[in-house]
Amino acid sequence: MSTQTEKIQELIALRQKARLGGGEKAIEKQHAKGKFTARERIAMLLDEGSFEEMDMFVEHRCYNFGMEKKRFLGDGVVTGSGTISGRLVYVFAQDFTVSAGSLSEMLASKICKVMDIAMKVGAPVIGLNDSGGARLQEGINALAGYAEIFQRNIMASGVIPQISAIMGPCAGGAVYSPALTDFTLMMEGSSYMFLTGPAVVKTVLGEDVTQEQLGGASVHSTKSGVTHFTASTEEEAIAMIKQLLSYIPQNNLERTPEKPCTDPINRMEDYLNEIIPENPNMPYDMYQVIAGITDNGEFFEIQPNFARNIIIGFARFNGQSVGIVANQPKQLAGVLDSNASRKAARFVRFCDCFNIPIVTLVDVPGFLPGTGQEYNAVILHGAKLLYAYGEATVPKITVTLRKSYGGSHIVMSCKQLRGDINYAWPSAEIAVMGAAGAASVLYAKEAKALKDEGKVEEAKAFIKEKEDEYTKLFANPYNAAKYGYIDDVIEPRNTRFRVIRALEQMRSKKQVNPAKKHGNIPL
């Protein structure tokens, strides 16, 4: 056997060894938990045969606590590039079969390398996280590794899309990388995220809490808003990542992806003419409006279980990918609150980063009142949404369906926040406040005088008369249209066609913000 043949056989053997990660027993243990390995996940995610692995032969260089005897090729993370539906992506998948996927100096350097290359070529980065945290044997080197990753997350923000899937544990400093990325997905029942675990909580606060209660997918998808998606199986999680990528461009210099559209652009939905209830206090389902106007009624929702009084997600109009922000009258009457404001604000900023037009569907009676909201800084959170819309330079199309009152009217992409095309349905009520509230404020003295004279019924009739007067004057779209704040009042069933036309108009839009290092968004 020639020396060259021996070297090739050695290479093949080493590759086989690297692909086994922590070994057959560790792989069996991972499977026994109902979880796939890092390589199996990558194979599911990428187009068949497209994966180009990097740094397969990297090893850690730690000699503390007997680590010199525990060496595995690849050192606990699989990295490289491939394609999804033919589009280039970079990926890293932490390998729990190697030292529980714990982060070492060299593991971090592998992740940093793929992030650096992704930035150079302008392609998304997808991280599949499944790790026990920092590798304790490496001490400060492990912490430095985390910080190197975080710095790259920050530099990549707004340049290339970053997606994190939490496929298992993610605790301590490890949680910050997913938090810095654009979208996070968690596995129901088998993944968790928290800064301090149940044992520390018990020691410091005396509070008994499970990992699931502290940082499970249900907590972060409904209460904190940390995660954008949850999945019950890994196959479902991978499918969601692929679907998400289909709506967003490769980087901040590209246009959004387009698909051939088979849905007529002039399709009319007559039920939209009837969807607004006669009683202004009755709800209706905004999802039905979205289904009536988007291509084939398709809508890919983001954070569906968090702050459900506002809806965000991706759809297509005539094949063009857009972001949708919509108040939901079926939840808290569609009011804005702290969580809804920050949920929508971050989504608006993501769309603006990556040249995705924003369609806003408005039916908002105001901000949620009360000490709970004020103590939770609803002023700052509402200002985030105001800032996000005002800063955005992508095409912005706004349709006011019913209520649009006061400060909440302003923050929902009004004309003065550089809304490009602002439409209203005939049912729109655009005013400082609702008629009942306005009449009671404007004519409080007169009503009180009548009541003081014992004329209670006359006082009620007087206020009702003034309500009707206010409604006629202000609670309609025509007063705003008179001043040019609404570009047109449109028939509801024709909304799809008018939005598509507006988006076509705005394809060549160019708008630049003043030169600055960066703004100071109210955090």
Side-chain angles (χ1 to χ4, degrees):
M1 187 183 295
S2 68
T3 305
Q4 186 66 13
T5 302
E6 287 178 359
K7 287 182 177 179
I8 290 171
Q9 288 183 343
E10 181 187 13
L11 168 63
I12 293 169
L14 284 171
R15 285 192 181 280
Q16 288 175 339
K17 182 180 179 184
R19 290 189 182 109
L20 284 174
E24 295 282 4
K25 286 187 178 178
I27 291 172
E28 288 172 12
K29 194 173 178 181
Q30 181 83 342
H31 286 163
K33 296 176 187 173
K35 295 166 68 176
F36 289 99
T37 66
R39 292 179 184 279
E40 289 167 342
R41 289 164 178 160
I42 289 175
M44 290 161 59
L45 178 67
L46 301 179
D47 296 339
E48 188 174 352
S50 70
F51 183 47
E52 290 288 330
E53 187 168 352
M54 299 167 59
D55 289 336
M56 181 183 272
F57 306 117
V58 164
E59 295 182 0
H60 72 73
R61 44 189 186 184
C62 176
Y63 293 90
N64 299 325
F65 304 102
M67 285 300 292
E68 67 277 4
K69 299 171 188 174
K70 298 177 183 177
R71 294 187 180 277
F72 298 92
L73 294 177
D75 196 32
V77 69
V78 183
T79 61
S81 65
T83 60
I84 295 176
S85 300
R87 297 168 66 198
L88 176 66
V89 298
Y90 284 82
V91 62
F92 65 87
Q94 294 172 333
D95 187 351
F96 200 80
T97 69
V98 176
S99 302
S102 58
L103 188 123
S104 67
E105 173 196 11
M106 294 309 296
L107 188 155
S109 74
K110 287 182 65 174
I111 294 174
C112 290
K113 184 187 283 189
V114 293
M115 294 181 75
D116 288 341
I117 299 174
M119 283 283 280
K120 287 179 189 175
V121 303
V125 171
I126 303 165
L128 306 178
N129 296 267
D130 191 0
S131 169
R135 195 170 295 174
L136 298 178
Q137 296 92 333
E138 295 204 13
I140 190 64
N141 286 337
L143 294 182
Y146 273 129
E148 291 283 1
I149 295 169
F150 302 160
Q151 182 62 41
R152 283 162 176 80
N153 289 135
I154 295 163
M155 292 297 100
S157 181
V159 180
I160 54 174
Q162 301 179 80
I163 300 170
S164 300
I166 315 301
M167 313 302 280
C170 186
V175 300
Y176 283 122
S177 180
L180 290 166
T181 61
D182 298 303
F183 297 103
T184 303
L185 180 149
M186 292 184 71
M187 298 302 304
E188 296 164 8
S190 60
S191 71
Y192 55 81
M193 295 176 72
F194 42 66
L195 281 168
T196 52
V200 176
V201 172
K202 173 69 174 174
T203 302
V204 176
L205 299 175
E207 184 181 348
D208 284 306
V209 64
T210 66
Q211 288 181 340
E212 181 65 28
Q213 291 168 334
L214 187 61
S218 60
V219 169
H220 288 313
S221 64
T222 62
K223 297 182 187 301
S224 71
V226 166
T227 194
H228 300 83
F229 310 99
T230 65
S232 55
T233 66
E234 295 197 17
E235 292 90 343
E236 182 189 3
I238 296 298
M240 290 174 83
I241 293 171
K242 292 181 179 182
Q243 190 176 0
L244 171 62
L245 279 169
S246 74
Y247 286 100
I248 58 182
Q250 292 288 92
N251 54 64
N252 65 337
L253 300 179
E254 291 190 8
R255 286 183 176 273
T256 55
E258 296 200 23
K259 283 180 66 176
C261 178
T262 57
D263 191 356
I265 64 171
N266 59 352
R267 169 173 57 83
M268 291 190 181
E269 293 291 355
D270 289 337
Y271 75 82
L272 294 180
N273 279 7
E274 307 293 332
I275 199 168
I276 303 294
E278 289 291 329
N279 182 343
N281 297 319
M282 290 292 290
Y284 60 94
D285 193 350
M286 187 62 78
Y287 289 111
Q288 292 183 350
V289 177
I290 294 170
I293 64 176
T294 60
D295 288 0
N296 305 117
E298 294 174 358
F299 179 57
F300 183 65
E301 189 171 6
I302 312 294
Q303 291 182 298
N305 299 315
F306 176 68
R308 296 175 67 185
N309 39 323
I310 204 160
I311 299 167
I312 59 172
F314 296 110
R316 290 185 178 88
F317 285 91
N318 197 24
Q320 182 182 13
S321 179
V322 304
I324 290 180
V325 179
N327 307 111
Q328 171 58 302
K330 282 190 74 175
Q331 297 287 332
L332 295 174
V335 298
L336 285 170
D337 59 8
S338 295
N339 286 342
S341 297
R342 64 187 178 93
K343 169 183 170 179
R346 191 155 195 271
F347 182 68
V348 167
R349 296 195 95 204
F350 174 83
C351 291
D352 190 47
C353 285
F354 292 102
N355 310 313
I356 302 171
I358 302 164
V359 174
T360 307
L361 304 175
V362 182
D363 188 347
V364 60
F367 280 88
L368 186 63
T371 56
Q373 287 296 306
E374 297 296 348
Y375 296 171
N376 196 37
V378 69
I379 295 170
L380 287 180
H381 294 303
K384 287 175 182 150
L385 185 53
L386 174 68
Y387 191 107
Y389 269 122
E391 180 188 44
T393 58
V394 292
K396 293 180 286 191
I397 315 300
T398 304
V399 184
T400 301
L401 281 58
R402 187 169 62 175
K403 297 173 184 175
S404 186
Y405 293 155
S408 61
H409 159 75
I410 297 170
V411 305
M412 290 299 294
S413 196
C414 71
K415 180 61 76 175
Q416 292 73 29
L417 292 185
R418 305 191 298 186
D420 294 301
I421 305 290
N422 290 60
Y423 292 134
W425 285 6
S427 49
E429 303 173 11
I430 303 169
V432 174
M433 62 173 64
S440 64
V441 171
L442 291 171
Y443 299 99
K445 286 183 180 178
E446 292 85 339
K448 184 177 183 300
L450 287 169
K451 287 178 182 177
D452 289 345
E453 293 174 18
K455 300 176 181 177
V456 176
E457 292 305 317
E458 288 88 337
K460 288 180 182 178
F462 173 75
I463 290 295
K464 180 66 173 68
E465 179 188 335
K466 294 303 179 183
E467 279 182 36
D468 294 342
E469 185 181 326
Y470 189 89
T471 298
K472 188 176 180 181
L473 281 172
F474 298 113
N476 61 69
Y478 302 105
N479 189 56
K482 181 171 70 177
Y483 295 102
Y485 303 150
I486 294 295
D487 296 302
D488 199 6
V489 180
I490 64 174
E491 191 176 350
R493 67 176 186 157
N494 202 29
T495 302
R496 170 175 167 79
F497 180 71
R498 298 302 297 271
V499 168
I500 289 173
R501 274 282 181 85
L503 289 167
E504 288 293 330
Q505 280 185 57
M506 290 296 132
R507 272 185 179 272
S508 57
K509 176 186 176 182
K510 289 181 177 63
Q511 189 170 37
V512 179
N513 289 328
K516 61 176 95 171
K517 187 174 181 181
H518 58 73
N520 188 15
I521 187 169
L523 296 173

